[in-house]
Amino acid sequence: MEIEQEMSIFVKSLKEKGLLDQIHITVCNVGSRKLSSGDDYGAGAWNVFAPNLTIYGFDADADACEAAEAELKLKHINWTEKHIPLALGKSVEEATLYVTKHPMCSSLYPPNEAYIGRFYDLPELSNLDFTIEIETTTLDTFCNAEEINTIDFLQIDVQGAELQVLEGSLEILKRGVLGIQVEVEFSHLYVNQPLFADIDVFLRGHDFTLFYLETAFRHRSCSPIASTQRRGQLLWGDAYYLQDPIRENANFQIKEPSKILKLACIADVLGFSDYTLELLEYLTVKYGDNPKYNFAQTIIEILSSFSDLVESGLDSLPVVANIRPFLNI
């Protein structure tokens, strides 16, 4: 049975019960220029973790970081958020930044203008405007300098250089990053850039599992016709990866109950509430003697909010049978 639901259904209830007081969520947003409300992590779905929320934003555009900082001062926020004017890559080195007609498409790789020109609406955004020489650094270098031991969720959108950022984050990844949202390309919009397959191999090699792809398409600029069934060619998207602490041989860094709870909350914020339920059930059955990790009552309350489940009988659900011994603890 499939039940329609909103993006997040567990974290609000967990917060109301005080069960989120024990965790602090750290989000790192690489390519943090705020172009829409969806880019404003602190004011969006992640706000449920405030005040136990820290956001680090990185962008090569110092003006964009300055504007974000100024906006934060006006908001009087109750979480920690900083925007740092740094270009992150795979190493500390001199590099060329290819600034495009729309700054959001700027990259460490030159735009593939001959290819871009074949698609509707792309040259106006992605063709080269000018280049500047910059210095890149790594996320690991920044975290070590700032004594940041853990990042829980990593979002990367740097127009083709995402793999470079990941390669410069090996230490922090090993310390237990739980989820990653990364922009990926399926064709060379930038010259010699890594593609989705390269990023997927890298992240699977670091024990991340692909959960979802949000995809973007473009049709040919020369064509006055377009299919109503196909939206054109798949060019890029956002790939969502999460860790799996339940699987055999999972990294010990993510098997701690506090880490699993964080992962459950992150999954819920991202809309993977079925995974959230699996993780909360796992915590309850394995660690439910500890009130901090007993989510039996919360699970029953959430499931009871779906009339179709109630009509079919909650007691018929395996998850309910598994957690019922922990309801009165």
Side-chain angles (χ1 to χ4, degrees), residues 5 24 55 115 159 254 277 289 326:
Q5 60 170 79
H24 188 108
I55 299 170
Y115 188 65
Q159 303 301 305
I254 64 168
L277 177 57
D289 291 339
F326 297 90

Side-chain angles (χ1 to χ4, degrees), residues 7 180-182 184 186 196 200 209-215 231 237-242 270-272:
M7 278 284 285
I180 295 176
Q181 176 186 345
V182 56
V184 294
F186 299 92
F196 165 70
D200 186 61
T209 298
L210 178 65
F211 266 63
Y212 190 72
L213 271 174
E214 287 181 346
T215 50
R231 291 178 288 164
D238 275 346
Y240 293 80
Y241 289 85
L242 295 172
L270 296 177
F272 305 118

Side-chain angles (χ1 to χ4, degrees), residues 62-308:
D63 291 339
C65 291
E66 185 177 341
E69 287 289 309
E71 183 181 349
L72 289 173
K73 289 181 180 179
L74 295 175
K75 287 184 175 180
H76 305 291
I77 62 175
N78 68 333
W79 65 90
T80 299
E81 182 170 348
K82 300 177 181 179
H83 290 263
I84 303 102
L86 289 176
L88 297 187
K90 63 181 178 181
S91 60
V92 179
E93 61 182 0
E94 296 296 321
T96 300
L97 180 66
Y98 296 86
V99 181
T100 52
K101 290 186 176 180
H102 194 300
M104 71 176 181
C105 297
S106 301
S107 176
L108 294 175
Y109 293 89
N112 189 356
E113 293 188 357
Y115 188 65
I116 289 170
R118 297 166 61 188
F119 295 95
Y120 174 76
D121 202 31
L122 286 188
E124 295 86 346
L125 300 173
S126 302
N127 277 3
L128 184 65
D129 191 5
F130 60 91
T131 64
I132 57 174
E133 298 305 307
I134 62 172
E135 182 178 88
T136 62
T137 187
T138 71
L139 184 56
D140 282 341
T141 299
F142 175 82
C143 290
N144 289 335
E146 298 295 320
E147 299 183 343
I148 299 169
N149 294 319
T150 302
I151 289 172
D152 301 303
F153 185 74
L154 178 58
Q155 194 270 351
I156 312 173
D157 181 354
V158 287
Q159 303 301 305
E162 288 79 10
L163 184 58
Q164 288 197 34
V165 175
L166 290 168
E167 290 172 338
S169 309
L170 293 178
E171 290 183 31
I172 204 71
L173 288 175
K174 291 175 182 177
R175 294 180 204 158
V177 173
L178 298 170
I180 295 176
Q181 176 186 345
V182 56
E183 187 178 64
V184 294
E185 276 84 33
F186 299 92
S187 292
H188 287 95
L189 301 180
Y190 298 89
V191 178
N192 295 325
Q193 70 165 112
L195 298 179
F196 165 70
D198 305 299
I199 291 173
D200 186 61
V201 167
F202 178 91
L203 288 176
R204 284 191 288 111
H206 288 81
D207 298 330
F208 287 91
T209 298
L210 178 65
F211 266 63
Y212 190 72
L213 271 174
E214 287 181 346
T215 50
F217 301 79
R218 284 292 189 275
H219 58 76
R220 259 51 184 189
S221 59
C222 69
S223 178
I225 59 173
S227 170
T228 57
Q229 295 179 312
R230 302 282 187 243
R231 291 178 288 164
Q233 183 176 334
L234 172 61
L235 291 180
W236 71 88
D238 275 346
Y240 293 80
Y241 289 85
L242 295 172
Q243 291 273 12
D244 182 4
I246 298 177
R247 71 173 179 82
E248 189 177 359
N249 299 322
N251 182 347
F252 76 94
Q253 293 275 18
I254 64 168
K255 290 182 71 69
E256 299 173 5
S258 61
K259 282 279 193 179
I260 298 174
L261 175 56
K262 283 187 180 186
L263 177 56
C265 292
I266 290 170
D268 197 44
V269 165
L270 296 177
F272 305 118
S273 297
D274 60 317
Y275 190 35
T276 300
L277 177 57
E278 181 185 32
L279 293 171
L280 293 181
E281 176 195 10
Y282 176 82
L283 283 170
T284 300
V285 172
K286 191 171 180 65
Y287 302 103
D289 291 339
N290 184 337
K292 293 196 304 182
Y293 303 114
N294 186 336
F295 303 103
Q297 188 61 44
T298 299
I299 291 172
I300 293 295
E301 290 174 3
I302 293 297
L303 295 179
S304 298
S305 68
F306 295 96
S307 58
D308 289 349

